[in-house]
Amino acid sequence: MPHSKNRILSRASPVDLEDLRPHLRVIEMQPGKVVAESRARVNQAYFPHGGILSCVVELEDGWTIESGMIGNDGVFGAAQALDSKASLHKVVVQVSGLASVMDAEHLKAVALSSPDLLALLIKYEQFFLAQVQQTTACNAVHSVEQRTCKWLVRMSDLVGTELPVTQEFLAQMMGVRRTSVTGVASQLQKEGLISYSRGKISILNMDLLQRRACECHRTVRELYATEFNDTERPALPARHSACP
């Protein structure tokens, strides 16, 4: 059942999924495609099966900083569908993949007729808000190395250990200079944690990469596990004691 490859849809009751099914269609999300502009009305909800949607904040000086990431564990557009509000972020396809998509008006109609589905969508929105808040704290406090490792671990949760991303894009999403990321990536490659070539980063030692990351990904992952009773992913190892 293709729609159930998204972990939010997989948690919907069989009755709710049957009500949603006539309105769902599967599409290929193309890298770089803008799914929503900031402060623009959202007309569709996206339930990724794979790939990654990146929610970013654009500043007047040209910086673009990622505030949240959505993969097969989430949905974009559900909250906006429920209250007909505009998107608070620009949302871009970071990594390609399939997604189940439906018009916002149909999702709203089904959700308002089902307390269980409505509660599920609201629960995810609360989780996503917590992810954004954690990212804000992380960007303010943690080192570029910790944040880089955290970002790579989060991506690997969603798409595996072969990451189609450049150092330039990684720096842009983190809101730091490329030279900062290049220095970190070079050290991680030297130590055998990753390898990188143009347009791709491969994770070679996930355990150590997780230990070098800050606690923020662990915090977000544990929150998701608690909120959704999720047991699909093993617990992360403790952070390396040598990290600041």
Side-chain angles (χ1 to χ4, degrees):
M1 187 180 300
H3 300 308
S4 63
K5 292 181 179 179
N6 175 272
R7 293 164 65 193
I8 296 300
L9 289 179
S10 72
R11 288 180 167 86
S13 71
V15 172
D16 288 336
L17 197 54
E18 282 303 309
D19 288 342
L20 292 169
R21 194 184 308 281
H23 310 293
L24 288 166
R25 61 192 184 280
V26 177
I27 66 165
E28 173 76 27
M29 300 189 299
Q30 298 296 331
K33 175 180 171 58
V34 176
V35 168
E37 294 283 1
S38 178
R39 295 183 292 277
R41 186 184 178 97
V42 176
N43 297 314
Q44 294 183 320
Y46 291 75
F47 298 84
H49 302 176
I52 298 174
L53 294 175
S54 183
C55 300
V56 300
V57 176
E58 296 179 302
L59 303 179
E60 290 183 355
D61 60 5
W63 285 96
T64 301
I65 303 174
E66 185 178 70
S67 58
M69 195 181 294
I70 302 170
N72 66 356
D73 56 357
V75 53
F76 168 72
Q80 292 81 2
L82 294 175
D83 60 16
S84 301
K85 288 187 177 179
S87 175
L88 298 178
H89 310 87
K90 181 176 182 177
V91 183
V92 183
V93 178
Q94 183 186 119
V95 178
S96 64
L98 298 179
S100 293
V101 180
M102 68 183 303
D103 291 342
E105 62 186 78
H106 294 311
L107 178 58
K108 180 178 181 178
V110 176
L112 292 182
S113 69
S114 169
D116 289 343
L117 180 60
L118 182 61
L120 177 64
L121 297 178
I122 291 174
K123 183 184 291 188
Y124 178 76
E125 186 62 20
Q126 291 172 331
F127 160 77
F128 184 76
L129 176 59
Q131 180 189 167
V132 171
Q133 291 172 332
Q134 192 74 34
T135 299
T136 300
C138 183
N139 288 345
V141 175
H142 292 141
S143 69
V144 174
E145 179 184 295
Q146 290 174 311
R147 291 162 58 196
T148 300
C149 294
K150 176 208 71 173
W151 201 91
L152 294 174
V153 171
R154 170 60 175 157
M155 281 194 74
S156 71
D157 269 355
L158 300 177
V159 297
T161 59
E162 300 294 319
L163 309 177
V165 60
T166 64
Q167 292 180 40
E168 182 175 4
F169 185 75
L170 181 56
Q172 184 183 47
M173 291 297 97
M174 292 170 55
V176 300
R177 298 189 182 281
R178 179 178 176 176
T179 52
S180 299
V181 171
T182 298
V184 168
S186 296
Q187 184 62 31
L188 294 176
Q189 179 164 257
K190 181 178 179 181
E191 296 178 26
L193 277 69
I194 67 170
S195 67
Y196 60 86
S197 57
R198 187 172 182 84
K200 186 177 75 171
I201 296 176
S202 301
I203 298 175
L204 305 179
N205 190 327
M206 177 61 73
D207 183 70
L208 191 52
L209 189 70
Q210 290 171 337
R211 293 178 187 276
R212 294 281 283 274
C214 58
E215 75 269 21
C216 293
H217 179 56
R218 174 193 295 277
T219 300
V220 170
R221 184 194 266 192
E222 289 177 350
L223 176 61
Y224 189 94
T226 299
E227 289 293 316
F228 294 99
N229 192 28
D230 182 62
T231 58
E232 291 185 24
R233 294 170 179 160
L236 293 174
R239 186 165 63 90
H240 197 288
S241 59
C243 290

